[in-house]
Amino acid sequence: MTNNAFEELRWRGLIFDNTEGVEELLSKGNITVYIGFDPTGDSLHIGHLVPMMSLARLQRFGHTPIAVAGGGTGMIGDPSGKSEERNLLTLEQIQHNLSCVKGQLASILDFEAKSNPAKILNNYDWLSELSMMAFLRDTGKYFTLNYMISKDSVKSRLEREGEGISYTEFSYMLLQSYDFLHLFDTYNCVIQAGGSDQWGNITAGIELIRRVRGQKVHGLAYPLITRADGSKFGKTASGGSTWLDPNRTSPFRFYQFWLNTEDADVINYLKYFTWLTRSQINELDDVLKERPEKREAQRKLAQEMTQMIHGDTALAKAEQAS
């Protein structure tokens, strides 16, 4: 592990963009960082592992991670990366999904740490308390339509012929910005992190805090992970997702997913998803180049991931079945 949290993320290829000053901020003492998770299903999938692991890495460097489960924003729907309107979930569906997802977050984040325990918060708790009039007056007035329309998540939807975007999803950016303001006020959270498709929402929150509080906060974006051939990471051969819930993707199938990683992707995946050090990964890279047929890097990746998500017993059974 490096001496600097920012450098650790950088060598692992986990920084797509950041505001000026993030590197210096992360080299100081305890900083509070948050990432949002949409509870649109009753399980997270391996696409969520990049933000989860990134929060966990920051925690190991002494920073305090907050995972915000979007119980409120999940009722609205995030237009980022979506070509069409989402189906809106009921409050009961979202509460069920949240209870399932919390346990999966706990497999990676440390909620018992003495100095910097992780927190899981549900933004429904504060968004549901907002009155429409207060929200429009105190938050909406700081955003022009021109500013919102220029964001990629909105622009791409507006450019799709016959599709457009509803006012409901258009308002998502304001709600996520309010989340950042609430976390800044309540927990002194000064960095919001997320995938590169969230950059527009992240910078909107930074702008809101600057205008309302006169304070400078920061954003950090991770790349969206794709395979070397450009296809979407996380999908199985049949096109389905690889889930963290063992009832949806068995530990054996989970193990096999990582074991079947292509040579061109495996070293990057070891950097993104495991706790292995740079020297350990470099050694596996050397073996891969010299004796690719042994697939040692793939086997190590499958072992590390299955053990972390499902535990030692599930790993032993998966290896035995393999």
Side-chain angles (χ1 to χ4, degrees), residues 19 152 219-220 286:
T19 53
D152 288 340
L220 179 65
D286 290 340

Side-chain angles (χ1 to χ4, degrees), residues 242-261:
T242 303
W243 302 95
L244 304 191
D245 183 342
N247 295 315
R248 298 185 68 170
T249 298
S250 70
F252 172 74
R253 281 175 52 215
F254 189 83
Y255 180 91
Q256 289 295 318
F257 172 85
W258 300 104
L259 191 63
N260 291 328
T261 300

Side-chain angles (χ1 to χ4, degrees), residues 81-100:
K82 302 295 175 186
S83 59
E84 57 189 30
E85 194 90 5
R86 293 183 189 222
N87 293 323
L88 296 183
L89 301 178
T90 65
L91 184 58
E92 290 72 26
Q93 287 173 311
I94 286 172
Q95 293 295 350
H96 170 72
N97 292 347
L98 283 178
S99 65
C100 298

Side-chain angles (χ1 to χ4, degrees), residues 12-193:
R12 289 183 181 274
L14 289 171
I15 293 180
F16 174 83
D17 205 349
N18 60 273
T19 53
E20 187 178 351
V22 167
E23 183 170 6
E24 181 185 0
L25 196 61
L26 288 175
S27 66
K28 294 179 179 177
N30 184 322
I31 299 299
T32 300
V33 185
Y34 103 87
I35 292 180
F37 295 87
D38 244 353
T40 50
D42 60 5
S43 174
L44 298 174
H45 54 72
I46 58 172
H48 291 107
L49 285 173
V50 167
M52 287 167 70
M53 287 296 292
S54 298
L55 271 184
R57 292 187 204 285
L58 292 173
Q59 186 177 24
R60 289 197 176 191
F61 276 93
H63 303 299
T64 299
I66 299 178
V68 173
T73 43
M75 298 181 75
I76 300 301
D78 180 6
S80 304
K82 302 295 175 186
S83 59
E84 57 189 30
E85 194 90 5
R86 293 183 189 222
N87 293 323
L88 296 183
L89 301 178
T90 65
L91 184 58
E92 290 72 26
Q93 287 173 311
I94 286 172
Q95 293 295 350
H96 170 72
N97 292 347
L98 283 178
S99 65
C100 298
V101 164
K102 280 183 179 179
Q104 295 171 351
L105 289 170
S107 68
I108 289 178
L109 295 171
D110 183 359
F111 294 92
E112 308 299 327
K114 288 184 179 177
S115 60
N116 61 332
K119 296 180 178 70
I120 293 180
L121 304 175
N122 180 359
N123 65 10
Y124 182 81
D125 294 343
W126 57 85
L127 292 179
S128 62
E129 299 293 316
L130 280 175
S131 78
M132 182 177 178
M133 300 307 293
F135 181 67
L136 291 175
R137 184 192 64 208
D138 299 335
T139 301
K141 73 173 184 176
Y142 292 107
F143 294 90
T144 65
L145 283 176
N146 294 12
Y147 177 85
M148 295 176 72
I149 289 170
S150 70
K151 299 296 184 183
D152 288 340
S153 60
V154 174
K155 191 195 305 182
S156 61
R157 287 282 289 277
L158 290 175
E159 289 172 352
R160 286 179 68 88
E161 191 173 341
E163 293 286 345
I165 184 172
S166 71
Y167 181 77
T168 299
E169 284 200 353
F170 187 60
S171 68
Y172 184 93
M173 185 188 302
L174 302 186
L175 293 170
Q176 186 166 321
S177 300
Y178 186 87
D179 282 350
F180 200 175
L181 176 62
H182 173 84
L183 294 169
F184 174 75
D185 287 345
T186 311
Y187 299 98
N188 193 31
C189 178
V190 293
I191 297 179
Q192 180 186 172

